[in-house]
Amino acid sequence: RARHTGPPDGGWGWMIVAGCFLVTICTRAVTRCISIFFVEFQAYFGQDYARTAWIHSIVDCATMLCAPLGSLISNHVSCQVGIMLGGLLASTGLILSSFATSLEHLYLSLGVLTGLGFALCYSPAIAMVGKYFNKRKALAYGIAMSGSGIGTFILAPVVQLLIEQFSWRGALLILGGFVLNLCVCGALMRPISLKEDCKTAPEFLEQDYIPETEKQDLKRMSTCSPLIKLWPHECLCYCSWKEYDFLLMPGFMVLAVSVLFMAYGCSPLFVYLVPYALSVGVSHHQAAFLMSILGVIDIVGNITFGWLTDRRCLKKHRYFCYLFAVGMDGLCCLFLPVLQNFPLLVPFSFTFGYFDGAYVTLIPVMTADVVGTPLLSSALGVVYFLHAIPYLVSPPVAGWLVDTTGSYTASFLLCGFSMIFSSTLLCFARLAKKIKRTHLRALTGDMGMKQHIWTNGAIAYSVTAELDQKDVEFLAVDTNSFSNR
């Protein structure tokens, strides 16, 4: 295990980026390409849109719902073990799906088992990038997350070709072998210990039930793992609680609510873009090519937005860059129902793909800015967990709307308004925070912050709770000097 006082911003970190890049290809790109099987499943099993859409929904839901489990294994066992185990489960699920005899079989194998395997791989791999990078974090995430776009660009036509040559069963079998590469990705994830990872340990040492002699031993240790060996119950419970205390942060609460609406809006498009294109007269190869375009432009969005938001002029405005990208994707969805031929759908794929790659890159960056790097793995687990319910519900709801209305218009409008609401919510939250801060400064500006302080023994109190540590120490020393007189 490598030990560093701070993120190395390079070195083996670039191998971590490469590993995460491959993980996103094998998880998110493969999940997107499941939509290409949609028409095949519908025709083979003779089911409607809503029932067939549950397959894609369950994969996405299981991936996000079990994301905290992936973070837990990564934090308390090993990131390498978690990703390798996930690769085995995902591959097994795809192979078993190739023998499916009903949609219910696909719900369990392709949906639950493959989704669980993806969950054990996805969030731990992304969190590892955040541990290795600080100054170039957005660029590193842009490269790593571009695997989703590159994978979609390459896999979409390949999967269509595999279906034509070997049927959907043979295509799923081959994808099962391809996903085994997740085990190789897991081997690249070398653990790293940062000085800030155990910054909460001194607080734990203040507990009264720990003997003083053992406290002194613990102070000489740098990581939490020895703590768990000495006090398996008390320390494990304490560390687990500290890993999730960010849930009470107002900034994280707003981010969490916005993620729910964003996830609801983005999921159905990847399921229904190909069926919608086919319904307006686009050929199968052109429909698959639309997914390829979306994927390759997704790459451009990943890398360019990551690079741009690492620049000094935009680094402080990542929040607004994120909400702008989400809002633009929402607008794209609103215009999609009027695009009814291939030449018009191509610009849509370009625009939606670019901004999809942009905000996907910034999700882990924004999460790290809100909760900090030490809690990033746990926080990402929760953020991706929040994707689960929208991912589960939105494609079947969209399919029900298609079955009921006979068109895709209502489904795409609902997706667009959902993403625009997510962006608007973040915008109003940031404006409210800025107004509150300005109002507080106006109230306290004339009175002088440090005049509202009184002491009680050696403790200094502040009405505004904004007294810095040096003032507290000065007052404590001054109070002691006065009492000695």
Side-chain angles (χ1 to χ4, degrees):
R1 179 186 289 266
R3 298 182 184 276
H4 299 269
T5 57
D9 272 300
W12 190 258
W14 294 115
M15 293 302 296
I16 300 297
V17 170
C20 186
F21 174 84
L22 293 173
V23 167
T24 55
I25 290 179
C26 294
T27 56
R28 302 312 299 159
V30 169
T31 300
R32 288 180 178 183
C33 289
I34 289 175
S35 64
I36 298 175
F37 292 90
F38 187 93
V39 176
E40 301 294 329
F41 291 152
Q42 191 179 28
Y44 186 86
F45 296 107
Q47 299 294 336
D48 58 18
Y49 277 86
R51 290 200 64 192
T52 310
W54 277 103
I55 299 171
H56 191 281
S57 295
I58 295 173
V59 175
D60 266 337
C61 178
T63 301
M64 301 307 175
L65 190 66
C66 299
L69 177 62
S71 298
L72 186 67
I73 294 175
S74 174
N75 290 339
H76 297 288
V77 181
S78 168
C79 181
Q80 295 170 315
V81 170
I83 294 177
M84 290 180 178
L85 177 61
L88 291 174
L89 290 175
S91 177
T92 302
L94 285 165
I95 292 171
L96 290 177
S97 298
S98 66
F99 300 99
T101 56
S102 66
L103 282 184
E104 288 74 16
H105 186 159
L106 288 173
Y107 292 162
L108 292 175
S109 58
L110 185 56
V112 176
L113 190 58
T114 300
L116 175 61
F118 288 165
L120 298 184
C121 302
Y122 191 55
S123 57
I126 294 173
M128 284 294 290
V129 176
K131 288 182 176 293
Y132 271 85
F133 287 87
N134 183 25
K135 295 179 181 178
R136 291 180 283 185
K137 182 180 293 184
L139 176 60
Y141 271 125
I143 296 172
M145 304 296 280
S146 67
S148 177
I150 291 175
T152 304
F153 174 71
I154 297 174
L155 287 180
V158 170
V159 168
Q160 183 64 46
L161 183 63
L162 290 175
I163 292 173
E164 293 174 359
Q165 295 293 323
F166 304 105
S167 81
W168 63 268
R169 295 185 185 275
L172 285 175
L173 189 64
I174 294 170
L175 279 180
F178 173 73
V179 165
L180 272 176
N181 284 293
L182 286 169
C183 296
V184 179
C185 302
L188 295 174
M189 299 296 169
R190 179 189 297 173
I192 182 173
S193 293
L194 301 177
K195 185 177 181 180
E196 59 182 351
D197 285 344
C198 287
K199 63 181 180 180
T200 57
E203 300 174 17
F204 175 75
L205 296 178
E206 297 301 323
Q207 302 297 323
D208 294 334
Y209 54 77
I210 302 177
E212 187 63 28
T213 55
E214 294 183 356
K215 286 184 184 181
Q216 297 300 324
D217 293 337
L218 287 175
K219 289 177 181 178
R220 291 193 293 269
M221 301 179 181
S222 60
T223 65
C224 283
S225 55
L227 297 178
I228 297 174
K229 293 178 181 178
L230 291 172
W231 296 288
H233 301 293
E234 295 88 346
C235 184
L236 183 58
C237 293
Y238 174 82
C239 290
S240 298
W241 178 80
K242 292 300 291 182
E243 287 172 8
Y244 291 96
D245 61 356
F246 60 83
L247 292 173
L248 300 178
M249 294 180 181
F252 185 82
M253 290 180 182
V254 173
L255 178 63
V257 174
S258 72
V259 162
L260 290 173
F261 288 94
M262 179 272 293
Y264 182 91
C266 71
S267 181
L269 186 125
F270 292 100
V271 180
Y272 292 108
L273 178 60
V274 171
Y276 171 72
L278 295 174
S279 71
V280 296
V282 175
S283 69
H284 283 79
H285 285 286
Q286 287 178 327
F289 185 62
L290 289 174
M291 288 293 291
S292 295
I293 294 174
L294 193 149
V296 73
I297 299 303
D298 195 291
I299 305 164
V300 179
N302 286 143
I303 298 176
T304 59
F305 234 66
W307 181 82
L308 287 172
T309 52
D310 267 342
R311 301 305 94 194
R312 184 174 299 177
C313 58
L314 289 179
K315 197 166 189 177
K316 295 181 180 179
H317 304 290
R318 286 171 175 170
Y319 189 95
F320 291 102
C321 291
Y322 170 81
L323 64 89
F324 174 74
V326 173
M328 288 299 296
D329 262 1
L331 287 175
C332 289
C333 290
L334 294 182
F335 283 104
L336 183 56
V338 300
L339 310 177
Q340 299 192 359
N341 55 59
F342 183 70
L344 291 177
L345 287 171
V346 169
F348 166 82
S349 294
F350 271 88
T351 308
F352 186 90
Y354 181 82
F355 288 108
D356 178 75
Y359 77 74
V360 166
T361 295
L362 292 180
I363 287 176
V365 177
M366 283 188 60
T367 306
D369 290 343
V370 172
V371 305
T373 301
L375 300 175
L376 179 58
S377 180
S378 300
L380 278 177
V382 173
V383 167
Y384 292 129
F385 170 83
L386 293 172
H387 285 66
I389 296 176
Y391 277 6
L392 178 67
V393 173
S394 58
V397 169
W400 175 80
L401 289 172
V402 173
D403 292 332
T404 304
T405 64
S407 73
Y408 292 85
T409 301
S411 300
F412 292 144
L413 290 179
L414 185 58
C415 292
F417 284 122
S418 180
M419 298 189 78
I420 290 173
F421 178 79
S422 171
S423 177
T424 305
L425 177 65
L426 288 174
C427 184
F428 279 118
R430 177 53 64 95
L431 290 176
K433 183 177 180 181
K434 187 175 181 179
I435 291 171
K436 182 179 178 181
R437 187 181 301 168
T438 304
H439 183 63
L440 181 62
R441 288 176 180 173
L443 288 176
T444 58
D446 297 332
M447 293 183 291
M449 300 289 291
K450 297 177 184 178
Q451 293 178 359
H452 298 271
I453 302 164
W454 68 92
T455 60
N456 180 14
I459 302 175
Y461 298 89
S462 171
V463 173
T464 59
E466 295 188 9
L467 183 66
D468 60 30
Q469 186 64 31
K470 292 183 179 180
D471 290 330
V472 174
E473 294 174 357
F474 172 77
L475 285 169
V477 173
D478 187 63
T479 304
N480 291 333
S481 301
F482 179 78
S483 60
N484 290 334
R485 292 178 186 177

